[in-house]
């Protein structure tokens, strides 16, 4: 059986926990460095992947100076997709759009 004192303690602890939850829910917590960090990741990772792909495809996997403009001017030709790849990608996206718009589901 509970006493009136136990009841008062549990009600006050619930009130404190609720206030802590409200404080946690209203606080803004950024991950990955916030908007600036996420923007840098969105720009940096594709550039890094392009650099590594050019090194692998054009330089037999040897790392080259990424600040050399000749590296990028010669290498950019290798990272563009072929017309066949573009058609496959766009066809798959069209298929996804049609199935999402016409098939039942969430």
């Amino acid at each position: 059986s509970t006493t009136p004192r136990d009841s008062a303690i549990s009600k006050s602890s619930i009130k404190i926990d609720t206030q802590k939850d409200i404080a946690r829910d209203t606080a803004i917590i950024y991950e990955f460095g916030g908007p600036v960090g996420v923007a840098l990741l969105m720009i940096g990772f594709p550039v890094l992947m392009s650099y590594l792909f050019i090194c692998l495809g054009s330089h037999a996997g040897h790392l080259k100076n990424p600040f050399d403009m000749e590296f990028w001017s010669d290498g950019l030709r290798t990272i563009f997709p072929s017309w066949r790849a573009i058609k496959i990608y766009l066809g798959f996206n069209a298929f996804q759009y049609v199935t999402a718009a016409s098939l039942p589901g969430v």
Side-chain angles (χ1 to χ4, degrees):
S1 79
T2 61
T3 64
R5 185 176 186 278
D6 292 337
S7 173
I9 291 172
S10 64
K11 285 181 183 178
S12 66
S13 66
I14 290 171
K15 197 179 269 188
I16 291 170
D17 289 342
T18 304
Q19 290 171 348
K20 287 181 182 178
D21 289 340
I22 291 171
R24 282 189 202 116
D25 289 343
T26 57
I28 297 174
I29 300 172
Y30 289 120
E31 295 180 356
F32 305 108
V36 173
V38 171
L40 290 174
L41 288 173
M42 290 175 62
I43 294 168
F45 279 132
V47 171
L48 175 64
M49 293 301 111
S50 299
Y51 167 74
L52 293 174
F53 186 81
I54 292 169
C55 286
L56 184 63
S58 300
H59 302 288
H62 297 288
L63 298 178
K64 298 293 182 179
N65 182 7
F67 299 108
D68 182 15
M69 290 312 292
E70 185 178 332
F71 169 82
W72 289 104
S73 63
D74 292 341
L76 283 179
R77 285 181 245 138
T78 64
I79 63 173
F80 287 115
S82 66
W83 283 109
R84 181 174 182 261
I86 292 171
K87 290 175 188 175
I88 291 170
Y89 178 75
L90 292 177
F92 178 73
N93 280 324
F95 172 74
Q96 289 287 314
Y97 177 76
V98 169
T99 57
S102 62
L103 294 178
V106 179

